[in-house]
Amino acid sequence: MAEILAVGEAMERALALLESGEVVAIPTETVYGLAGDATNGIGVARIFEAKGRPRFNPLIAHIADMEMAERIAVFDPLSRKLALAFWPGPLTLVLPQRPGNGTHPLVTAGLDTIALRMPRGFGGDLIARLGRPLAAPSANSSGRISATTAHAVAADLGARIKLVVDGGATPVGLESTIVKAEEGKLRLLRPGGIAAQEIEAVVGMELLRGADAGVEAPGMLASHYAPDAAVRLNAGTVGEGEALLAFGKRRAEGWQNAAACLNLSEAGDLREAASNLFAYMQQLDRSGARIIAVEPVPFDGLGEAINDRLSRAAAPRDNSLPPT
């Protein structure tokens, strides 16, 4: 099983593993990430192997500062404005790759763009010490619920990796928001820890939604973030044996008979709901219920990202791969 070390004790051990081409699970402000040296093909390949992740699904490269980012990608004015406003933080920018940037082709899955993010805390410090970017998708088996605690990482990937760095529960609880600039416009590829409205306020324009074609960034597969149980959305009633993922003060009819019930936010606070989402889905999944009924969650603010994750968790599992 993986060794679990607190952030104050883990730096040297994590660096040694990364230098040797191993992967390390690390805390970020969003969710736990499974990190490997983005310039080391063996390390990047181990990320895909540990997660069981399809090779066509690109990874986010995490950087320590703008100097490192500029060596890897070409920034347009809009993307630079967003980086200055939201980095470090839960925003990922999809940018044209700079030729000869040193990242391994597996990171970008053959695309001519690269997804960059600057994390806070231990992750940023680790990258700065390493001196190279880290490829780091969420630290969970591919397509399953993302981990927001070290215990959740160890329970899922503990037999496949050597180290989990324990930074406690992640504060945001959702993956980063992913944005791509195109011809003076901004496209939201994945809603996340920064609400679209916050980005629109900075740039003074409305974000377009979705990709032009295919998988342009991580987290865009139709089926993702999925528990073992089926997920039923916008539930107004709770069936026999179902678990209930609640939101706010009003309950679905029959909630008293739910196999288990957890409320994302009794107060209807979307930030609290986002931070609880994955952990509560995992707890309800362990209840033994075959179906998790989910009460409606508003789409405004962070609700867009919460509903995005829920809809992917509820998607048919056999639709997770694109046509060949």
Side-chain angles (χ1 to χ4, degrees), residues 5 22 25 37 53 77 84 89 122 136-137 150 170 174 199 207 210 218 220 243 247 264-265 269 279 284 302:
L5 292 176
E22 293 289 345
D37 183 347
R53 184 184 179 96
L84 293 175
F122 180 85
T170 60
L174 288 174
I199 297 171
L207 293 178
M220 295 182 67
F247 177 81
L264 290 171
S265 175
D269 185 319
L284 293 178
L302 287 178

Side-chain angles (χ1 to χ4, degrees), residues 2-316:
E3 181 181 16
I4 300 177
L5 292 176
V7 290
E9 307 169 345
M11 181 63 73
E12 300 307 321
R13 175 67 172 149
L15 282 170
L17 287 169
L18 291 169
E19 292 277 11
S20 67
E22 293 289 345
V23 296
V24 176
I26 63 171
T28 77
E29 67 271 54
T30 56
V31 298
Y32 275 72
L34 185 61
D37 183 347
T39 69
N40 184 326
I42 293 174
V44 177
R46 283 187 169 133
I47 294 173
F48 284 93
E49 290 164 5
K51 285 178 62 71
R53 184 184 179 96
R55 297 294 177 96
F56 60 77
N57 196 3
L59 305 175
I60 295 173
H62 293 69
I63 42 88
D65 50 39
M66 281 302 296
E67 183 180 353
M68 184 180 289
E70 296 273 13
R71 293 199 300 266
I72 296 170
V74 179
F75 281 76
D76 60 277
L78 273 176
S79 296
R80 188 179 303 280
K81 188 172 187 177
L82 289 177
L84 293 175
F86 293 109
W87 280 358
L91 176 70
T92 294
L93 296 172
V94 176
L95 301 159
Q97 290 194 64
R98 194 174 292 280
N101 63 61
T103 57
H104 195 274
L106 274 175
V107 174
T108 57
L111 299 172
D112 57 6
T113 56
I114 188 165
L116 292 185
R117 183 167 97 80
M118 187 188 298
R120 296 183 185 277
F122 180 85
D125 296 341
L126 180 62
I127 298 163
R129 285 284 307 275
L130 183 68
R132 298 185 294 278
L134 289 178
S138 56
N140 56 282
S141 296
S142 185
R144 305 308 299 275
I145 302 171
S146 299
T148 57
T149 66
H151 174 76
V153 177
D156 185 358
L157 300 180
R160 298 177 234 169
I161 63 177
K162 294 184 177 180
L163 176 65
V164 179
V165 180
D166 189 353
T170 60
V172 175
L174 288 174
E175 294 84 355
S176 61
T177 303
I178 302 181
V179 172
K180 181 182 181 182
E182 302 174 305
E183 300 177 350
K185 299 179 181 180
L186 287 174
R187 188 173 293 278
L188 180 67
L189 299 182
R190 180 181 74 183
I194 296 176
Q197 293 90 331
E198 295 180 65
I199 297 171
E200 291 169 343
V202 167
V203 296
M205 68 173 67
E206 187 174 348
L207 293 178
L208 304 176
R209 261 48 174 193
D212 285 336
V215 176
E216 294 189 42
M220 295 182 67
L221 300 186
S223 177
H224 208 44
Y225 316 109
D228 287 326
V231 176
R232 184 169 66 84
L233 302 180
N234 299 314
T237 60
V238 181
E240 183 178 352
E242 292 185 336
L244 177 64
L245 186 62
F247 177 81
K249 295 185 181 299
R250 297 184 62 183
R251 291 288 66 77
E253 184 180 343
W255 70 271
Q256 301 93 333
N257 299 319
C261 178
L262 291 171
N263 195 325
L264 290 171
S265 175
E266 181 77 22
D269 185 319
L270 290 170
R271 193 168 298 278
E272 180 185 17
S275 68
N276 288 330
L277 177 62
F278 290 138
Y280 283 12
M281 286 178 67
Q282 286 170 332
Q283 289 182 52
L284 293 178
D285 201 28
R286 291 194 293 268
S287 73
R290 293 189 302 107
I291 297 173
I292 299 173
V294 183
E295 291 181 348
V297 176
F299 274 80
D300 55 300
L302 287 178
E304 181 177 8
I306 295 169
N307 280 287
D308 172 81
R309 302 309 189 272
L310 289 170
S311 65
R312 294 178 195 275

